[in-house]
Amino acid sequence: YYDPEFQALFKVQADFEQDMKRTPESQQLYGALIATIAKEKGIQPLHRGAVARVIEQAAREAGDREKLSLHIRDLADLISEAGFLAKEKGKESVEAFEIDEALARARKRGGRIQERFFEALEQGLRQIETSGEKVGQVNGLSVISLGRRDSFGCPTRITALTRPGKGKIVDIEREVELGGPIHSKGVMILASFLGSRYVRNLPLGLQASLVFEQSYGGVEGDSASCAELCALLSSLAAAPIKQSLAITGSISQQGEVQAIGGVNEKIEGFFDLCRMRGLSGEEGVIIPVPNVRHLMLKKEVVEAIAAENFFVYAVATVDEAVALLTDLPAGERGADGNYPEASLNGLVEATLVRFAQDLQAFEKPVEDEDEIGGTSDA
């Protein structure tokens, strides 16, 4: 763009992929690559369990269990550190244990900010609940990135308040200029969803506010829009949300829960908090169905899930999400056009109808002053 001679000097454009498809054939090639790296760096041979563990880590770094990362330098650094650990122990080969130990050491070296964050949670300076139930309050999940490889998930309390009003949903993050455009877009989409699903024959007489509690930096991305919508629906229906669950996912205007990034870090962040407080078997994370293919969770989380001490739920719609969060059936419109009264959607619509009626009654002009004890000549 800046150099007019660039096109004359560089005739061929090459765009390199950062990952490759994970197939039996590509895994064999990847194993050969790992052996070549170890040989070139003078590292002991890797046991097949260690090779498998490196390949798993490559899929995790690719962010997709069906792909493998092509960042070979990072791969070589991991193998080198594992080789050093094996040599220190006098082993003749590198095993899966050394790969796990090298990964743990790398996380610890880059984990200062994460440690401070969870220390604040432990001391109660940041308030996140992982037990009990609350109306209009949900645990959202975000990712703090400190570099290409150093990132961690952190739970965030999201709250919603509702009352009769002019149909405005106040995004407090946007109002104070802490919310980015993509986050604001997510809030506008959920507002559109509310208006299209409920009380379509009446004005949306709703005044609502949404906020990320104790958030002092910028908020960007739409991955919390499903959590924000669930908090709003909970507030409208007066239906408590289980605080033992956290949720991530973006929302469409049709109520579909869409894929997001950093799903592994988000799940692990909430798991680490719950484990720190003691797992009760009720904790879990709700994720979008399309993100299931991206799950490459660390060993501790996999073991907790296998023991049914922690759960990961995949949902396709907001109705599925709120049903899990509130233990209430979402409900579908019947032949009469109404939701079941005891369903969450029925409770939400009843509240919105009442809001609209209250607003109409409040704004109705008074035609006769005597009706409100008007004046007399006496």
Side-chain angles (χ1 to χ4, degrees), residues 276-295:
M276 181 178 71
R277 294 177 174 177
L279 293 170
S280 66
E282 298 293 325
E283 296 86 2
V285 173
I286 300 171
I287 66 170
V289 166
N291 280 122
V292 170
R293 64 173 288 169
H294 302 135
L295 293 178

Side-chain angles (χ1 to χ4, degrees), residues 316-330:
T317 66
V318 67
D319 285 340
E320 295 177 17
V322 292
L324 282 168
L325 288 168
T326 64
D327 275 340
L328 284 175

